[in-house]
Amino acid sequence: MAFTEAEKQQWHADRRAGKSTDNDYTPSPTCGHCGNPFSSGAGMVTDDFSLCDVCNGD
């Protein structure tokens, strides 16, 4: 289902105003070694550092 132009405009206005939506996008972790994003289940993520499976040797 495509969004109407009015819905798109409202979404962008809400984002610029700092309003959160029910389905906010959560970005994938990014590897601190190679810089590539990876899924949260594939790699190691701590509070200080993220490492993808490729760089981790898995």
Side-chain angles (χ1 to χ4, degrees), residues 23-47:
N23 57 351
D24 279 343
Y25 170 74
T26 302
S28 298
T30 302
C31 180
H33 181 256
C34 68
N36 288 325
F38 59 93
S39 63
S40 58
M44 179 187 71
V45 180
T46 67
D47 290 338

Side-chain angles (χ1 to χ4, degrees), residues 31 33-34 42-44 51-58:
C31 180
H33 181 256
C34 68
M44 179 187 71
L51 195 63
C52 71
D53 279 344
V54 174
C55 292
N56 197 24
D58 290 343

